[in-house]
Amino acid sequence: MPASALDLAKDGRSSYSIYIPANASPTVKNAANEFAKYFFKISGANLPVTTKFSGNNQIVVGDNVITGKYFPQFNAASLKGDGTYLKSSKSLLFINGGNERGVLNAVYSFFETYLNCRYYAHDLIVIPKQANVSIGVVNLSEVPVISYRSCNYGEALQADYIAWNKISNLPNEHRQKRYKWGLWAHTFTILVPPKKYFKAHPEYYGLINNKRNKNQLCLSRDGVVDVIVDTLRVMMAKNPDAKYWSVSAMDGNPDNCNCELCTSYRAQNHNQSDLLINFINKIAAKFPNKVISTLAYQKTRTPPISVIPAKNVNIHFCASNDDKLKPITSNPELMGDLNGWLKFTNNIIFRDYMIYYKCDCPFPNFPVLKPNLQAIAAKNIDMVYLEADAKMGLELEELRSYLLAKLMWNPSADAEAITDEFLKAYYHNGAPFVKQYLNTLATYAKTGNRPLQNSARILTYSRVDDQAAYLNPLKTGIYSDILRKGVAAASGDTAAQARINRVLNTINNVTIKPPSRPSRKALLDD
């Protein structure tokens, strides 16, 4: 049907209503309420929500049947879960999606695309006011390249931020939980708690250096499978909506079990990953309607030789301690492991690391964010988790969260344009200096000729006697000088100055005193 301009509001008033189906789910009702809330903030016009379809002057939210009558080509399944569908026809605006979350996503896509709203950060939400709202033809369909998009910066764990930026997170009040996950990772001792089982069944735990280790399990014991299955049944009954359940080794790099059974299995042309997947497959067989996830991490990142993961087994592949300055495609060991797993399954969540754990200090991985997500998407991996830290105030986390959200939704998006837009909006007159700081930091990190690793010691990058260290005192002084110019440029703008000072503080966290060296100007002129 032909589309035309929509006069949604004039002089702060509107003749429109929001229609939802009588049996609308809570998520669709929330989508309608969100539309009404932000439309009022923009125009001052109230849009009532109704379950009666009039056929004119309505915003149709989440009704597949009516959408299909007006647009026969509408196919929710083609929107890959939470993709969005926005169309106009005469005096009707249709807001829909691949699923309920997609309907909510479509609401925010409408405000971003057609009314220039932005949710940059918890302290910068742009809702332009206009008493007259007239929209031209609406025609937008978005299919997310990556279906599960998660990062755990504190910024990205705020409820409204999650919704606006289409992130697969739960708000920080649920920080011990994950969207769609019952158990996330490092769960062996949760599922087989040593306090309950170690004394009576020490054989359930890994034999390491001739001693049973409470932080590792023996993967050859049927009794261990039985305990985990029983524990999972209890947990699943309490959380029936969770789809993914992790059965995975503890962190801290515990050695493999070297009991006779495990050693014999590995000797039969198998490796530790074969043993792990054989073990996980037994558990997954008991829960055909759930997905059992396990870690390809440390000693099990190497793919199995011959044991194929069951269809309902998810591989949580971890790019831990690989060089974060280089695209993953330039890392033959990582790509070899990943490609090895992909020969057996594409049910993979890719975990990368966005943070330096030892100190909240500059972590110059911006240049690889887009190429890495593009490489992951090219492998048809549609689950991504980017690990940071849930506490607020980390180094450039506002920019990082926003940029990553946009790139996870569409890895081909213009990262440079997104970055520049954010910097201008967030740092105002100080933006050029924050951009100069980012470029200078990236240049020095790259020319330092050493890998950037998420768990290396700070001295690796900040040694006083190492001119190549990108955080040595001479270079941190240069970064500080650039950012102080940014603070000066934002004179009178207390919000922008405070934001630039937060970036400056992450440099101050590198607390090694500068030695006597050539001037900073001399280094810049080099």
Side-chain angles (χ1 to χ4, degrees), residues 44-198:
N46 283 301
L47 300 179
V49 178
T50 179
T51 57
K52 293 182 178 180
F53 179 65
S54 67
N56 59 75
N57 284 32
Q58 282 191 316
I59 296 146
V60 180
V61 176
D63 191 314
N64 287 1
V65 175
I66 292 178
T67 303
K69 286 181 178 178
Y70 280 79
F71 301 98
Q73 75 275 23
F74 170 70
N75 179 7
S78 69
L79 297 173
K80 198 177 178 181
D82 63 348
T84 68
Y85 189 86
L86 290 160
K87 287 276 191 177
S88 59
S89 176
K90 295 186 177 179
S91 66
L92 295 174
L93 171 62
F94 291 84
I95 295 181
N96 219 317
N99 58 22
E100 294 174 350
R101 179 69 187 272
V103 176
L104 184 61
N105 288 343
V107 168
Y108 301 118
S109 286
F110 173 80
F111 286 115
E112 283 196 344
T113 305
Y114 296 98
L115 293 176
N116 297 316
C117 297
R118 297 289 187 275
Y119 202 114
Y120 288 116
H122 73 281
D123 58 348
L124 183 58
I125 306 160
V126 177
I127 310 291
K129 295 189 181 300
Q130 52 185 102
N132 299 318
V133 180
S134 184
I135 306 293
V137 174
V138 174
N139 182 15
L140 178 66
S141 181
E142 302 169 299
V143 179
V145 175
I146 296 168
S147 294
Y148 185 90
R149 308 170 297 276
S150 180
C151 67
N152 74 325
Y153 285 106
E155 189 70 54
L157 294 173
Q158 311 304 305
D160 286 343
Y161 190 98
I162 291 167
W164 271 90
N165 291 300
K166 307 179 180 71
I167 302 174
S168 307
N169 283 351
L170 290 175
N172 59 2
E173 59 263 31
H174 305 291
R175 63 184 298 178
Q176 299 305 319
K177 299 180 181 179
R178 307 274 178 174
Y179 179 64
K180 294 186 178 180
W181 289 74
L183 289 172
W184 174 243
H186 305 308
T187 62
F188 274 0
T189 60
I190 296 172
L191 296 165
V192 190
K195 284 186 178 180
K196 184 174 181 180
Y197 292 102
F198 187 77

Side-chain angles (χ1 to χ4, degrees), residues 126-410:
V126 177
I127 310 291
K129 295 189 181 300
Q130 52 185 102
N132 299 318
V133 180
S134 184
I135 306 293
V137 174
V138 174
N139 182 15
L140 178 66
S141 181
E142 302 169 299
V143 179
V145 175
I146 296 168
S147 294
Y148 185 90
R149 308 170 297 276
S150 180
C151 67
N152 74 325
Y153 285 106
E155 189 70 54
L157 294 173
Q158 311 304 305
D160 286 343
Y161 190 98
I162 291 167
W164 271 90
N165 291 300
K166 307 179 180 71
I167 302 174
S168 307
N169 283 351
L170 290 175
N172 59 2
E173 59 263 31
H174 305 291
R175 63 184 298 178
Q176 299 305 319
K177 299 180 181 179
R178 307 274 178 174
Y179 179 64
K180 294 186 178 180
W181 289 74
L183 289 172
W184 174 243
H186 305 308
T187 62
F188 274 0
T189 60
I190 296 172
L191 296 165
V192 190
K195 284 186 178 180
K196 184 174 181 180
Y197 292 102
F198 187 77
K199 186 175 181 180
H201 293 283
E203 74 277 10
Y204 287 178
Y205 298 87
L207 184 68
I208 299 170
N209 296 326
N210 296 315
K211 185 179 179 180
R212 295 289 174 178
N213 188 309
K214 295 179 181 179
N215 287 320
Q216 180 62 286
L217 294 180
C218 174
L219 305 184
S220 299
R221 305 278 175 179
D222 288 338
V224 178
V225 172
D226 294 339
V227 168
I228 291 176
V229 168
D230 289 344
T231 305
L232 284 174
R233 282 199 176 112
V234 173
M235 290 183 167
M236 289 175 182
K238 294 178 180 177
N239 189 4
D241 293 334
K243 179 180 179 180
Y244 295 88
W245 295 83
S246 178
V247 179
S248 53
M250 305 310 293
D251 212 352
N253 201 27
D255 286 333
N256 301 324
C257 176
N258 288 312
C259 75
E260 185 177 345
L261 292 173
C262 290
T263 302
S264 174
Y265 185 92
R266 289 192 295 265
Q268 297 172 32
N269 196 32
H270 295 118
N271 60 18
Q272 183 64 19
S273 294
D274 284 288
L275 180 58
L276 173 65
I277 298 304
N278 181 63
F279 173 77
I280 297 297
N281 282 348
K282 293 177 183 178
I283 297 165
K286 302 294 184 181
F287 303 102
N289 296 321
K290 300 291 184 181
V291 176
I292 304 301
S293 180
T294 196
L295 289 169
Y297 176 60
Q298 295 180 339
K299 292 180 172 62
T300 55
R301 199 177 85 172
T302 302
I305 296 170
S306 59
V307 180
I308 299 172
K311 288 185 178 180
N312 66 324
V313 168
N314 169 264
I315 304 303
H316 193 145
F317 185 92
C318 300
S320 175
N321 268 334
D322 298 288
D323 188 355
K324 305 306 176 188
L325 291 176
K326 296 179 180 178
I328 59 173
T329 51
S330 69
N331 184 330
E333 181 181 350
L334 183 149
M335 293 306 295
D337 288 343
L338 182 59
N339 288 331
W341 282 104
L342 285 165
K343 289 179 182 177
F344 294 110
T345 182
N346 64 355
N347 191 350
I348 291 175
I349 179 169
F350 189 97
R351 179 195 288 216
D352 205 353
Y353 298 79
M354 305 287 113
I355 188 172
Y356 176 63
Y357 288 118
K358 306 294 183 181
C359 172
D360 180 23
C361 63
F363 194 77
N365 67 334
F366 278 97
V368 304
L369 297 181
K370 177 175 176 174
N372 282 355
L373 286 167
Q374 286 182 309
I376 293 163
K379 296 288 184 182
N380 293 317
I381 296 170
D382 71 348
M383 299 179 73
V384 169
Y385 170 63
L386 305 175
E387 179 164 318
D389 195 311
K391 67 183 180 182
M392 297 287 287
L394 294 177
E395 181 248 353
L396 287 164
E397 75 163 284
E398 300 88 0
L399 170 60
R400 291 178 181 278
S401 298
Y402 188 79
L403 176 59
L404 289 171
K406 299 302 181 189
L407 290 175
M408 285 191 289
W409 182 262
N410 177 14

Side-chain angles (χ1 to χ4, degrees), residues 490-511:
S491 177
D493 185 341
T494 56
Q497 286 186 319
R499 292 164 183 163
I500 299 170
N501 276 322
R502 287 206 297 268
V503 183
L504 189 56
N505 286 340
T506 65
I507 298 170
N508 295 337
N509 287 336
V510 186
T511 55

